[in-house]
Amino acid sequence: MLSSKLFLFHGQTDDWLKQEGNELIIRFLCNDPTKMIHSCFVRCEPNNEDRLIQCEKIELSFLSDFGVIYQARIPLSTHVDNTYYAIKCLTDKNQIWLSAAGTVNRIPGLESHFKYNAQHRPPQWVQSQVFYQIFPDRFCQGNPDIAVKTDEYLYQNGEHRVIAKKWGEPVAQAGHESTGASEFYGGDLKGIANKLDYLQHLGISVLYLNPIFTSPSNHKYDTTDYLNIDPHFGSNTEFAQLTDNLHQRGMKIILDAVFNHTSYEHPWFGRYQADEYSAYKRPDSPYRDHYIFTQQSSHEEGSNVEDRYIAWNGIDTLPKLNFLNHDVQHYIYKGESSVLKYWLKPPYHIDGWRFDVIHMLGEGVGAYNNTHYVKSFRASAKAVNPEAYIVGEHFYEATQWLQGEQEDGAMNYYGFAHPIRAFFAGLDIAYHAIDINAQELDIWLAESRGKIPWLNQLAQLNQLDSHDTMRFLTQLAGDQQRLKAASMLLFSYPGVPCLYYGTEVALQGGQDPDNRRCFPWNELDINSELFIFYQQLIVLRKNRKELQVGSYLTLYAENKCFVFARHYQGECTIYAVNLNKNSGQDKSEKLSKKNEEIKLDVLNLITKAQLFSGFDSLYQQLQCKVNNQKLILNLPFNYALLLSSQNSH
């Protein structure tokens, strides 16, 4: 079964990596048909000192059938939580290094070394889940009696009318004068509870809800009461019943933690309230130091609000909390009855928190000591529930928060959504045109994976879109074939897949707030090809252990054709996509579709299976047999497939 090419591989699953006491056992595969390599080492840095530990050859179950298995024992680092290591192989005239970013012929930078955190690990339950994000006002209405009524109250001191809309009516256009945050469709907790059968039928196992605490807006990122469900969504009792129902079904739920700022209508701040103790109106208020004021004089009519207090992103409706204040610390996360702990405890028992703009939480305008606070949030949550999932929102790179001791995972924009958007839709984060090929996609993905420990990679929350982005189908100009191809990658890539509500029924939407349209229940067809396609994807994800915890290996990345494998204990699943087009001979000639034939070396699949079966983005069932130690994939244009090993043992 051996290849004629040199092949080095180290997975970070328990096949390849194991902790015993204060040591790590490192194993890797070397297929070296021309006998180039004569010595192998593992490089590590215990106590900040460089060490090279020589490897020995071992026999290891079926893995030895694919080449020589090398093993070394290295000490766990004691000066930092993460143990960093890389593999060094020597030839007569050169050297080959293997790190989390791939192979190079020189020592790789520490940021791309393999990483193992022996102290802090994400909860294991996360790896096997399928998440579903719900924007509560737009998912389902269960109790019309509690819905917001037109002109029921003033929003932003009457700058915008509060408007009740009929389910499914168009959402307001974006812009400064938009009523996007003050129009309501009546979705609520009872509506979510009424659709749990639907969600389970789809295959969803965890709900992530956008904020549900008391707030004057529909998005509720401007909190006025952290300890009560917004009455237009339901009650605390109803929420306790919902979480109990979910847990009885074997499902879980995480909530949105908006702790960086409050609404300027929060009782502490009270910009428009008559409360004599409001921080905005009285420098001697007991809540004044709960926020960050830039001048201490009393309120003067007509003064420049931006000059008086710090607000999130300069938006004066969202005054930033002052985490240097001990009362704020106690209320948000330190106290036994703090917001962070309150919802993790009975009778609610939520299963984790998604932290809004977590990179901005800290002291002052610059979020100083942010690491300290994120660690404290984690410790407070884990003290109540050690298996609580802590996930942060970062629109950009989140490496420094994902080394194990802060977040379990992040909303993986930089390491997943951005590169996938660039490759499939030709758009960057700002919706500017970008054209990356498969090689560039592979480098981007490998770089972001390699910077964080493997278990945190598996806990990344991967999405194609969210409440803060244009819907992915809209980015693709409605191309459902390409949506399915990208979704197949979402469900096979390391990390946890999360669907934004309505994706499974082809719900479209532009930028915020159009991306928050109502779920089209009146048009629902659970027998539609797209819905059944997502069901099948979810079943595959749940049934194949390698898609939950398996090692990752890129098999092919050329032009617009990208192929990778996930493998675990002899089982393997392959993802492949082809977006290639032939170039025209002149400007008048249109680009033509291009078929690709990819021949995969069976060695790289690390399985004895001779038969692979699965399905493609056309919803066709497939079977492929290994022939002469090769697996041949035929990939038409705008096409993807998933193939899993069969009868490998």
Side-chain angles (χ1 to χ4, degrees):
M1 298 181 72
L2 299 184
S3 167
S4 59
K5 297 179 181 179
L6 176 66
F7 177 57
L8 295 175
F9 179 76
H10 168 63
Q12 295 171 82
T13 63
D14 51 16
D15 291 343
W16 307 95
L17 178 66
K18 192 170 295 186
Q19 182 181 346
E20 283 191 1
N22 294 322
E23 290 185 325
L24 276 184
I25 300 174
I26 312 293
R27 296 165 178 159
F28 69 96
L29 170 68
C30 176
N31 178 32
D32 181 18
T34 59
K35 309 297 182 186
M36 294 170 51
I37 294 172
H38 60 73
S39 300
C40 297
F41 305 86
V42 174
R43 180 196 183 272
C44 54
E45 293 187 0
N47 305 317
N48 273 336
E49 286 290 346
D50 173 88
R51 287 184 62 183
L52 281 178
I53 298 177
Q54 187 139 15
C55 301
E56 61 178 356
K57 297 178 183 179
I58 65 166
E59 290 292 323
L60 189 64
S61 64
F62 82 99
L63 290 174
S64 295
D65 294 340
F66 298 87
V68 176
I69 305 298
Y70 285 93
Q71 176 175 295
R73 289 177 175 265
I74 70 171
L76 288 171
S77 293
T78 56
H79 62 296
V80 290
D81 289 341
N82 272 332
T83 297
Y84 294 80
Y85 65 94
I87 293 163
K88 180 181 186 180
C89 299
L90 299 182
T91 68
D92 287 338
K93 297 182 179 180
N94 211 336
Q95 50 189 251
I96 302 167
W97 288 80
L98 178 63
S99 72
T103 55
V104 290
N105 60 1
R106 61 171 179 82
I107 183 171
L110 197 62
E111 73 278 358
S112 64
H113 278 47
F114 297 108
K115 300 164 189 68
Y116 179 83
N117 194 315
Q119 304 299 322
H120 305 285
R121 301 171 192 176
Q124 274 194 308
W125 64 263
V126 173
Q127 301 166 353
S128 59
Q129 307 303 313
V130 175
F131 281 65
Y132 190 88
Q133 181 187 351
I134 291 176
F135 192 84
D137 183 60
R138 310 296 160 82
F139 182 63
C140 182
Q141 184 179 70
N143 183 3
D145 293 339
I146 64 172
V148 173
K149 307 299 189 290
T150 295
D151 295 327
E152 179 180 338
Y153 58 86
L154 297 177
Y155 181 65
Q156 294 184 358
N157 198 37
E159 183 178 341
H160 298 298
R161 296 179 63 215
V162 170
I163 303 169
K165 286 193 166 183
K166 292 182 180 179
W167 197 262
E169 282 188 329
V171 177
Q173 297 297 308
H176 178 69
E177 300 300 322
S178 172
T179 58
S182 60
E183 57 182 33
F184 296 82
Y185 290 82
D188 53 31
L189 294 184
K190 187 176 180 182
I192 295 171
N194 290 346
K195 298 302 181 181
L196 293 185
D197 286 346
Y198 164 83
L199 292 168
Q200 281 199 298
H201 182 62
L202 177 59
I204 300 303
S205 56
V206 185
L207 301 187
Y208 154 41
L209 305 187
N210 286 112
I212 58 174
F213 306 135
T214 307
S215 157
S217 68
N218 56 42
H219 56 70
K220 310 223 172 292
Y221 283 95
D222 48 353
T223 312
T224 56
D225 183 353
Y226 288 98
L227 297 178
N228 284 291
I229 302 298
D230 191 288
H232 295 104
F233 283 166
S235 66
N236 287 23
T237 299
E238 282 182 280
F239 182 66
Q241 292 168 347
L242 174 62
T243 58
D244 183 60
N245 191 349
L246 285 164
H247 291 145
Q248 288 189 38
R249 292 167 176 261
M251 300 174 72
K252 296 182 184 292
I253 184 170
I254 67 170
L255 295 184
D256 221 316
V258 188
F259 296 158
N260 176 69
H261 50 264
T262 69
S263 167
Y264 65 179
E265 295 182 39
H266 190 287
W268 289 350
F269 196 81
R271 180 165 175 182
Y272 296 113
Q273 285 94 321
D275 189 341
E276 61 181 308
Y277 296 111
S278 68
Y280 180 73
K281 296 180 179 179
R282 296 187 63 91
D284 60 347
S285 164
Y287 305 116
R288 183 76 170 188
D289 195 45
H290 286 42
Y291 298 91
I292 305 171
F293 284 83
T294 56
Q295 65 183 58
Q296 296 300 315
S297 62
S298 60
H299 174 63
E300 298 176 9
E301 194 68 31
S303 65
N304 189 330
V305 172
E306 284 79 6
D307 290 339
R308 300 196 70 250
Y309 62 87
I310 303 303
W312 174 73
N313 220 21
I315 300 173
D316 66 352
T317 60
L318 304 174
K320 184 175 173 63
L321 285 169
N322 176 20
F323 274 87
L324 274 174
N325 182 281
H326 293 296
D327 290 338
V328 170
Q329 295 176 7
H330 184 83
Y331 180 83
I332 294 294
Y333 69 94
K334 273 189 175 180
E336 282 307 304
S337 58
S338 64
V339 177
L340 189 64
K341 295 179 179 179
Y342 179 76
W343 298 99
L344 287 164
K345 291 180 177 180
Y348 311 109
H349 295 291
I350 69 168
D351 300 287
W353 287 103
R354 176 266 192 191
F355 284 80
D356 183 57
V357 295
I358 195 168
H359 52 283
M360 300 186 75
L361 287 159
E363 299 165 9
V365 182
Y368 301 108
N369 290 322
N370 173 264
T371 298
H372 163 77
Y373 289 102
V374 178
K375 286 181 178 179
S376 296
F377 297 148
R378 177 188 182 86
S380 291
K382 303 282 186 179
V384 177
N385 177 7
E387 293 298 298
Y389 179 42
I390 304 301
V391 60
E393 179 203 25
H394 304 273
F395 250 78
Y396 302 96
E397 186 178 352
T399 299
Q400 71 188 71
W401 289 272
L402 292 168
Q403 297 306 308
E405 83 285 9
Q406 296 184 64
E407 299 167 22
D408 293 319
M411 294 185 78
N412 196 14
Y413 286 107
Y414 178 78
F416 184 81
H418 294 174
I420 300 309
R421 178 192 299 186
F423 185 71
F424 282 91
L427 297 171
D428 72 1
I429 182 178
Y431 305 102
H432 296 151
I434 183 174
D435 183 16
I436 66 170
N437 58 33
Q439 300 98 313
E440 293 163 325
L441 173 66
D442 185 43
I443 291 169
W444 191 340
L445 292 173
E447 173 197 298
S448 57
R449 282 196 316 273
K451 289 181 177 181
I452 65 176
W454 173 247
L455 292 179
N456 294 94
Q457 294 178 42
L458 296 180
Q460 290 281 69
L461 192 69
N462 293 336
Q463 294 181 275
L464 296 173
D465 48 18
S466 74
H467 67 293
D468 283 326
T469 72
M470 183 187 296
R471 285 191 176 263
F472 198 66
L473 182 57
T474 302
Q475 295 178 42
L476 298 173
D479 187 341
Q480 289 192 29
Q481 176 72 359
R482 191 162 289 204
L483 172 67
K484 288 188 286 185
S487 297
M488 294 166 82
L489 194 155
L490 170 68
F491 277 81
S492 53
Y493 190 75
V496 187
C498 180
L499 289 179
Y500 185 39
Y501 77 98
T503 298
E504 72 278 14
V505 294
L507 187 58
Q508 292 207 45
Q511 296 187 50
D512 176 11
D514 190 47
N515 53 0
R516 303 168 183 181
R517 298 180 189 179
C518 295
F519 192 104
W521 293 109
N522 291 338
E523 303 166 19
L524 176 65
D525 178 7
I526 61 172
N527 295 313
S528 71
E529 180 183 312
L530 189 63
F531 184 90
I532 295 172
F533 178 81
Y534 277 105
Q535 273 187 317
Q536 187 168 355
L537 266 183
I538 292 171
V539 168
L540 181 71
R541 172 81 187 195
K542 289 182 175 180
N543 287 347
R544 301 296 301 200
K545 190 74 172 177
E546 67 269 25
L547 293 183
Q548 300 169 27
V549 301
S551 301
Y552 172 96
L553 182 66
T554 298
L555 302 174
Y556 185 86
E558 294 288 341
N559 300 319
K560 285 282 190 173
C561 189
F562 185 52
V563 186
F564 65 79
R566 301 285 304 280
H567 27 62
Y568 181 69
Q569 296 185 348
E571 303 295 347
C572 174
T573 294
I574 301 162
Y575 169 82
V577 62
N578 173 29
L579 304 181
N580 276 333
K581 288 184 177 181
N582 285 317
S583 297
Q585 297 299 311
D586 56 55
K587 293 182 179 180
S588 64
E589 185 178 346
K590 292 183 179 179
L591 297 178
S592 61
K593 299 174 182 178
K594 182 179 181 182
N595 288 3
E596 294 286 350
E597 181 181 88
I598 309 298
K599 296 181 179 179
L600 302 178
D601 194 320
V602 74
L603 168 69
N604 297 346
L605 309 181
I606 313 182
T607 178
K608 293 181 179 179
Q610 297 295 295
L611 177 66
F612 287 76
S613 65
F615 58 96
D616 62 20
S617 51
L618 299 173
Y619 196 53
Q620 301 174 127
Q621 300 302 304
L622 302 173
Q623 276 201 341
C624 262
K625 290 184 178 180
V626 174
N627 186 16
N628 293 325
Q629 308 308 316
K630 300 287 183 183
L631 189 68
I632 299 176
L633 306 181
N634 292 299
L635 307 175
F637 168 71
N638 206 25
Y639 173 92
L641 59 77
L642 281 168
L643 291 173
S644 297
S645 57
Q646 306 295 320
N647 304 316
S648 61
H649 297 294

